[in-house]
């Protein structure tokens, strides 16, 4: 029951709380674990303000003790907490949500763009409360949401340092290559009469002689055209293999004109989203070497997805796994009015997540129409070429009711077998078997897989989760499970309140 905890007030604990674990934390769990708690209610002068609570945990070198901290992210909505805001204009495509001037546009669009430019001056200053995830750019860590703000944090003290305005509507799930370079998408809206999704790369290490944050050295890799000028797709994540980027353009859209008038109408960013079930979902495949979208076009039926699981290449195909929904009803669950209802997840009100696998034939543009072009024996996913040269893709549903997927990121972009997810579950994509951990009156948060250094197999490591314990007289605890057997390795009861958190970030020492 997420609703009870999400509508509950929380408190800071800036000083470390030291606990003795039951069992020994393995050496590979010498970590900082950062969680962003979505929708803590901070009470100040009679007002209710929504803040993220950052949780940090670290084990001692011998694994005999566990220390934890809690600290609020400091958004400017809190009185007297305004921090410096730095506009990273070197990105070139994200300087402003709307263009001040338009060139190369049709005369018939002139009045429309004049109206957009006027509305630009009344744009709401959307929340800087980074409640979705943590991102590493260079050597710095940022709390992020899906607006145009990210907040740099000190991973030691959890102090909020600076606010950055790097892009418009960026994904909060970037990818990292083996060199530590970060890749992410942002949206360029109505620039020179076009709206597009831009893939950018933030180098792991700044060039010698260049000072400032790694974001100053960002590179634009490519852009993907949006099918609608003023209604770009919402996106939360994307896929990446060694040679390709997978970007899914859903019919779940952000209405820019509604967004421009949101402040005047007194509504939120989320109220500007619109699901168009009559439209298809476009699947864009970008060649990482050339920076260009492949000529073959792919699409599937209307769906809403938040999380990509993984993507990989196999025998002339790009295979990618996602957690998909039939509509956007899950988004409505996070409104406070719904969270306060304290009701269990209602399948009739909210669509159920499906773990889906798509397979895209890469070099099949010269084949004749009709027939399934997916030749992989281990999946029933299909891709049928139609008269227009596009491929209609149907996914294989691997399981239902599975969300918040995490894999061993060391094999990201390679074929995987195991996925860890909500309710603390381990799913085998080959046998389709699911293993759960659970105890009465215990609510676990999203698990994080931590690979063992020089591990011998994909699931050689541990799974970390924080558990809210509602049993009388018992404390909440941090739980460590063996990644292979899913048996308990250790737990640390903490003398402080834990909260329902999401999207932890592991920082190796």
């Amino acid at each position: 029951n997420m609703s009870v905890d999400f509508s509950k007030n929380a408190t800071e604990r800036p000083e470390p709380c030291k606990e003795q674990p039951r069992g020994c934390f393995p050496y590979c769990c010498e970590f900082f674990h950062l969680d962003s708690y979505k929708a803590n209610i901070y009470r100040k002068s009679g007002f209710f303000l929504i803040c993220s609570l950052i949780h940090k945990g670290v084990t001692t070198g011998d694994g005999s003790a566990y220390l934890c901290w809690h600290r609020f992210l400091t958004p400017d909505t809190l009185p007297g907490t305004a921090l410096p805001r730095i506009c990273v204009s070197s990105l070139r495509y994200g300087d402003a949500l709307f263009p001040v001037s338009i060139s190369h546009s049709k005369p018939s669009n002139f009045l429309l763009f004049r109206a957009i430019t006027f509305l630009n001056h009344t744009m709401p200053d959307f929340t800087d409360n980074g409640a979705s995830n943590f991102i590493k750019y260079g050597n710095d860590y940022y709390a992020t949401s899906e607006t145009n703000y990210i907040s740099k944090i000190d991973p030691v003290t959890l102090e909020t340092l600076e606010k950055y305005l790097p892009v418009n509507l960026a994904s909060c799930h970037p990818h990292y290559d083996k060199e530590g370079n970060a890749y992410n998408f942002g949206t360029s809206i109505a620039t020179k009469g076009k709206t597009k999704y831009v893939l950018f790369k933030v180098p792991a290490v700044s060039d010698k002689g260049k000072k400032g944050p790694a974001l100053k050295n960002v590179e634009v890799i490519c852009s993907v055209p949006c099918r609608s000028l003023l209604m770009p797709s919402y996106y939360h994540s994307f896929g990446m293999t060694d040679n390709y980027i997978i970007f899914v353009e859903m019919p779940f859209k952000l209405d820019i004109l509604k967004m421009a008038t949101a402040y005047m109408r007194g509504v939120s960013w989320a109220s500007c989203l619109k699901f168009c079930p009559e439209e298809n979902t476009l699947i864009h495949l970008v060649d990482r070497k050339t920076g260009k979208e492949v000529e073959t076009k792919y699409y599937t039926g209307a769906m809403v997805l938040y999380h990509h699981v993984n993507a990989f290449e196999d025998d002339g195909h790009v295979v990618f796994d996602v957690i998909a929904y039939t509509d956007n009803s899950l988004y409505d669950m996070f409104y406070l009015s719904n969270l306060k209802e304290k009701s269990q997840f209602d399948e009739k009100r909210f669509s159920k997540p499906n773990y889906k696998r798509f397979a895209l034939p890469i070099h099949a543009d010269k084949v004749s129409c009709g027939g399934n072009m997916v030749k992989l024996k281990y999946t029933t996913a299909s891709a049928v070429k139609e008269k227009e040269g596009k491929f209609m893709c149907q996914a294989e549903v691997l399981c239902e009711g599975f969300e918040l997927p995490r894999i061993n990121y060391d094999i990201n972009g390679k074929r995987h077998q195991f996925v860890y997810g909500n309710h603390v579950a381990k799913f085998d994509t080959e046998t389709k078997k699911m293993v759960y951990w659970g105890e009465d009156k215990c609510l676990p948060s999203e698990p994080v897989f931590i690979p063992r250094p020089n591990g011998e197999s994909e699931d050689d490591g541990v799974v970390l989760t924080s558990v809210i314990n509602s049993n009388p007289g018992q404390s909440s605890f941090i739980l460590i499970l063996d990644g292979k057997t899913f048996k308990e390795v250790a737990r640390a009861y903490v003398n402080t309140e834990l909260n329902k958190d999401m999207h932890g970030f592991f920082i190796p020492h």
Side-chain angles (χ1 to χ4, degrees), residues 78-93:
L78 294 185
T81 59
L83 294 172
R85 297 189 178 188
I86 302 172
C87 182
V88 187
S89 58
S90 60
L91 287 180
R92 293 189 299 274
Y93 65 88

Side-chain angles (χ1 to χ4, degrees), residues 34-310:
L34 301 171
D35 285 314
S36 185
Y37 177 49
K38 302 162 76 87
N40 255 307
I41 302 177
Y42 181 91
R43 301 170 188 263
K44 184 82 170 180
S45 302
F47 293 96
F48 290 85
L49 301 173
I50 306 302
C51 302
S52 293
L53 184 71
I54 304 173
H55 168 74
K56 167 186 164 183
V58 58
T59 60
T60 54
D62 59 1
S64 62
Y66 176 83
L67 297 89
C68 64
W69 296 255
H70 302 296
R71 194 160 185 175
F72 281 115
L73 185 72
T74 311
D76 289 350
T77 49
L78 294 185
T81 59
L83 294 172
R85 297 189 178 188
I86 302 172
C87 182
V88 187
S89 58
S90 60
L91 287 180
R92 293 189 299 274
Y93 65 88
D95 299 337
L97 186 62
F98 295 115
V100 175
S101 61
I102 302 296
S103 59
H104 308 296
S105 59
K106 296 180 181 180
S108 59
N109 291 334
F110 180 73
L111 292 177
L112 174 62
F113 286 115
R114 283 291 299 272
I116 295 174
T117 303
F118 170 78
L119 290 172
N120 181 38
H121 297 286
T122 59
M123 282 299 296
D125 195 9
F126 287 114
T127 178
D128 57 353
N129 182 41
S132 293
N133 202 1
F134 291 91
I135 292 178
K136 183 181 180 183
Y137 285 143
N139 295 319
D140 300 323
Y141 296 90
Y142 300 86
T144 181
S145 62
E146 292 167 327
T147 65
N148 53 332
Y149 289 110
I150 59 175
S151 299
K152 183 179 176 181
I153 61 171
D154 186 326
V156 178
T157 66
L158 303 187
E159 181 184 2
T160 307
L161 302 176
E162 298 168 324
K163 303 290 172 65
Y164 287 80
L165 293 84
V167 295
N168 296 315
L169 313 176
S171 161
C172 58
H173 286 281
H175 278 290
Y176 305 91
D177 60 23
K178 295 188 182 301
E179 291 72 36
N181 302 307
Y183 299 82
N184 208 351
F185 268 97
T187 303
S188 174
I189 300 173
T191 302
K192 295 184 179 179
K194 296 180 180 180
T195 295
K196 54 189 175 182
Y197 314 103
V198 183
L199 175 68
F200 61 93
K201 171 184 173 182
V202 181
V205 181
S206 300
D207 295 336
K208 293 182 178 180
K210 290 186 177 181
K211 297 182 179 181
L215 281 169
K216 288 287 186 180
N217 304 313
V218 70
E219 304 172 27
V220 175
I221 303 299
C222 68
S223 63
V224 176
C226 174
R227 58 177 160 182
S228 174
L229 177 65
L230 296 178
M231 293 192 70
S233 171
Y234 167 86
Y235 53 92
H236 187 76
S237 60
F238 63 99
M240 186 173 79
T241 70
D242 289 342
N243 297 298
Y244 295 95
I245 297 290
I246 302 96
F247 181 82
V248 177
E249 187 175 9
M250 301 178 289
F252 187 29
K253 303 179 180 183
L254 181 62
D255 190 320
I256 299 303
L257 291 180
K258 284 186 177 181
M259 191 183 206
T261 60
Y263 180 78
M264 292 181 289
R265 294 183 292 115
V267 298
S268 68
W269 185 94
S271 68
C272 303
L273 289 165
K274 180 181 179 181
F275 180 58
C276 305
E278 71 281 359
E279 296 185 11
N280 288 320
T281 299
L282 305 184
I283 304 171
H284 300 278
L285 193 61
V286 177
D287 189 316
R288 289 181 60 186
K289 294 180 180 178
T290 65
K292 297 181 179 180
E293 189 174 358
V294 301
E295 293 183 0
T296 307
K297 304 301 179 185
Y298 309 91
Y299 74 98
T300 188
M303 66 177 182
V304 172
L305 70 90
Y306 301 97
H307 298 112
H308 282 250
V309 181
N310 188 29

Side-chain angles (χ1 to χ4, degrees), residues 1-10 37-43 48 50 333-343 497 499-500:
N1 185 351
M2 297 170 59
S3 58
V4 176
D5 191 67
F6 267 93
S7 60
K8 189 177 180 181
N9 196 34
Y37 177 49
K38 302 162 76 87
N40 255 307
I41 302 177
Y42 181 91
R43 301 170 188 263
F48 290 85
I50 306 302
M333 187 179 73
F334 292 95
Y335 281 93
L336 283 177
S337 58
N338 291 327
L339 293 176
K340 291 177 180 178
E341 291 181 3
K342 301 182 180 181
S343 59
E497 185 179 19
N499 301 284
K500 182 71 177 179

